[in-house]
Amino acid sequence: MSLVAAEPSSARFAIGAPLIVALLVAASVALHLVWPLQEDTSWLLTVGQRMLAGRTLYTDILELNPPMSAWLFLPWVWLAPKLGMSADVLTALGTIAVCLGSIALAARILVASRLFPDRAAFWIVASIALLVTPVLTFAQREHFAVAFALPMLAAVAARAAGRSVPTWALVVAGVCGGLAMAVKPHFALAILLPAFYAAAMRRSLWPLFGTECLAAGATFAAYLAAALALHPEYFSDMLPIAAAIYVPNRNPLDVVLTRPFAVLTYLCLVAWHLRAGFRATPFSNVLLAATIGFLAAYLVQGRGWTYHALPAATLATIGFGLSPFWKDADRAAKRTSTSVFASLASGLLALTAAANVIERERDELPFIRQTAETLRGLGADLKVAVLSDEIAVGSPLHRVAGARLVNSGPALWIAGNAYAFCATHPGDEARQACDRAIARERATLLDDLRRDPPDIVIADKKARDWLAWAREDPETAKILAAYRPRAIIDHANLKVEILARDGSASPNVPPLNSGPRP
């Protein structure tokens, strides 16, 4: 398991590495300060602001995911006003900082343990994987999860090889591993599989009780205890809803397996194997085990969404990118099949990043910009209600437009998932579950409109006419009678009608605000 000694070309490579990494960081900063954050991240920033304002998660705020999803962004939301920055900008910068910190700690462990002495190569490849590959998934929870996982994987690899690593580095790496599992519990697969590999390598169970594993377990246990103590409503109220109508809504396996990021993962794995083999070093084997774990987590979720596949694709990219530096890479690289698959993987990686940029600029951002401009023309400091089951209709739109979302949740996701569930699960029991979920959504929407009457209603009309759906409830229909159509925006996969409040329609509803509030 020896490594190929560093060549003179590697020394020259190291000289340019800081410049290359700096350019990658600058490109990531420029791109993600110009673009708004993704819809899920944008919504979670709003969740954090509401929590800091005193509202209760899972009671006043309807969030599907476990508490870690909200807690993950609280530091940026809390710190932003103290620094005089927007939470969105600070989150983008903070995400890059977390990724760089992850790379630095992983590199420190790998170099200290002599598992991968080419620090420059590791920095460049990991920076590409963590800062360039996640174009459409930047600052998602999965982005943080794979960044947290990387130092833990380096520590587990050192344990598998029986190499010495400073205790402080093992503790910090273990905490990072615990945080990765806390982001989504099934990400534990990406930590446990490498840990079992380390135990097999050492032919002992003691690696499972190493410093890094104990720190990871303690971190996850502390998170679980805090979640139970601070947010019992998630376990008693939200989790049953998710289990009943959200989790069963899965895409067919063939669809999930053929998504672009999944295909990118397969190609990187094949090219990685052909260039260096999977038995090159303990670190390569740990990366492989973690990639398989994250890929299994992607399949468990069953949605096929790009950001769900991000962790597996990121680690596969790192493994493929580092493969020329591992044992027997030079001999393997001479094979024609190796060159072909390496070219395919490299090309798909570049093509995926470029296509993601084009897709967002072509489909999502024009809708956000046009709708935000329309809202600004209707007044300042607007309060907005969203009638849609698509989170992308309201987020990041409400933040880009400087508006305040009045919905308790990011969208009418409970009703949307209920309709999808009923369409594929016939039977009285399923119908009753759907009816209960839809009735709850109607009651929540009515409470939101009464508690905080919006200035603007944005109604999705693409797949379902959600304005007509809302008007099926007599009390909601009375409130919505005070709103008049102002614009229809139809772009790509989104079509919405914008309605503004008309004070003459109801004496109990104030007119549309046309200027800043005091």
Side-chain angles (χ1 to χ4, degrees):
M1 294 188 180
S2 61
L3 291 168
V4 177
E7 302 288 341
S9 58
S10 296
R12 292 194 296 272
F13 184 60
I15 295 174
L19 176 60
I20 296 172
V21 172
L23 290 175
L24 292 172
V25 171
S28 185
V29 169
L31 181 62
H32 297 295
L33 291 189
V34 170
W35 277 3
L37 294 172
Q38 282 290 331
E39 55 264 25
D40 295 298
T41 302
S42 179
W43 158 247
L44 288 170
L45 292 181
T46 297
V47 169
Q49 289 171 332
R50 291 180 179 182
M51 291 174 68
L52 292 179
R55 298 182 67 180
T56 304
L57 189 61
Y58 307 117
T59 301
D60 304 317
I61 308 167
L62 293 185
E63 167 56 26
L64 167 68
N65 294 286
M68 187 61 181
S69 293
W71 294 354
L72 195 60
F73 298 94
L74 274 178
W76 319 119
V77 175
W78 174 80
L79 190 58
K82 301 181 185 306
L83 298 178
M85 301 172 63
S86 76
D88 305 69
V89 169
L90 188 58
T91 299
L93 296 176
T95 302
I96 294 172
V98 168
C99 291
L100 294 176
S102 164
I103 296 170
L105 179 56
R108 173 71 174 83
I109 294 172
L110 292 173
V111 171
S113 61
R114 304 184 309 283
L115 286 177
F116 196 85
D118 200 328
R119 188 191 302 265
F122 181 78
W123 264 96
I124 292 174
V125 171
S127 295
I128 291 173
L130 284 172
L131 299 180
V132 177
T133 303
V135 175
L136 286 182
T137 55
F138 183 83
Q140 279 277 14
R141 289 153 293 159
E142 282 75 4
H143 195 182
F144 282 98
V146 72
F148 289 146
L150 191 57
M152 177 68 180
L153 300 179
V156 171
R159 180 76 59 184
R163 305 291 173 82
S164 176
V165 175
T167 301
W168 70 264
L170 294 177
V171 171
V172 176
V175 170
C176 289
L179 292 175
M181 294 189 291
V183 170
K184 288 186 177 179
H186 40 269
F187 288 166
L189 291 169
I191 305 298
L192 291 176
L193 288 182
F196 283 119
Y197 161 77
M201 280 287 292
R202 304 302 298 169
R203 298 185 178 182
S204 169
L205 293 179
W206 282 114
L208 300 177
F209 302 94
T211 302
E212 67 284 355
C213 288
L214 292 177
T219 301
F220 182 76
Y223 158 70
L224 186 60
L228 285 165
L230 298 176
H231 299 293
E233 300 85 1
Y234 173 74
F235 300 92
S236 63
D237 189 16
M238 193 56 59
L239 191 56
I241 294 176
I245 62 167
Y246 178 81
V247 174
N249 285 330
R250 305 168 58 86
N251 278 317
L253 184 60
D254 61 320
V255 173
V256 175
L257 289 173
T258 54
R259 294 295 193 190
F261 256 39
V263 174
L264 172 63
T265 302
Y266 313 146
L267 278 178
C268 283
L269 287 173
V270 172
W272 169 3
H273 174 62
L274 290 175
R275 293 180 83 175
F278 288 142
R279 296 178 57 83
T281 72
F283 181 50
S284 69
N285 289 337
V286 163
L287 273 182
L288 175 62
T291 302
I292 293 172
F294 274 128
L295 192 58
Y298 166 73
L299 296 177
V300 165
Q301 293 174 92
R303 295 287 178 138
W305 291 337
T306 297
Y307 68 91
H308 284 177
L310 172 67
T314 299
L315 294 187
T317 300
I318 293 174
F320 161 60
L322 295 180
S323 57
F325 301 89
W326 284 328
K327 179 183 177 183
D328 297 331
D330 291 338
R331 184 168 66 250
K334 294 178 181 178
R335 294 198 296 264
T336 301
S337 59
T338 300
S339 300
V340 170
F341 273 98
S343 298
L344 284 173
S346 301
L348 184 59
L349 177 63
L351 182 62
T352 299
N356 287 343
V357 172
I358 294 171
E359 178 184 340
R360 197 162 195 222
E361 280 290 342
R362 182 193 64 199
D363 295 341
E364 182 182 347
L365 294 183
F367 169 81
I368 294 172
R369 292 165 182 153
Q370 184 180 355
T371 309
E373 186 62 29
T374 301
L375 293 182
R376 293 189 192 103
L378 295 173
D381 299 321
L382 298 173
K383 295 185 294 182
V384 174
V386 170
L387 304 181
S388 173
D389 62 335
E390 291 284 349
I391 185 174
V393 171
S395 300
L397 172 62
H398 73 280
R399 301 184 69 85
V400 173
R404 180 161 61 84
L405 190 67
V406 304
N407 299 68
S408 297
L412 306 177
W413 64 267
I414 295 178
N417 277 277
Y419 284 121
F421 176 72
C422 283
T424 56
H425 294 76
D428 291 340
E429 185 175 347
R431 169 54 57 188
Q432 291 171 6
C434 291
D435 289 345
R436 288 193 298 269
I438 293 169
R440 171 174 178 153
E441 190 81 273
R442 289 190 184 280
T444 300
L445 176 62
L446 181 59
D447 288 343
D448 291 340
L449 296 176
R450 283 173 170 170
R451 183 194 69 252
D452 199 7
D455 303 307
I456 299 293
V457 173
I458 302 177
D460 185 0
K461 289 181 169 292
K462 194 69 175 182
R464 180 186 298 274
D465 188 339
W466 285 96
L467 181 61
W469 175 87
R471 285 171 171 163
E472 291 173 6
D473 177 70
E475 294 300 316
T476 304
K478 289 180 182 178
I479 295 175
L480 294 177
Y483 296 81
R484 297 289 180 262
R486 293 294 183 92
I488 292 181
I489 298 175
D490 189 353
H491 188 84
N493 296 322
L494 295 173
K495 178 181 179 181
V496 300
E497 182 176 8
I498 297 177
L499 301 95
R501 189 165 56 202
D502 181 358
S504 64
S506 172
N508 297 320
V509 180
L512 175 67
N513 177 43
S514 59
R517 290 184 175 85

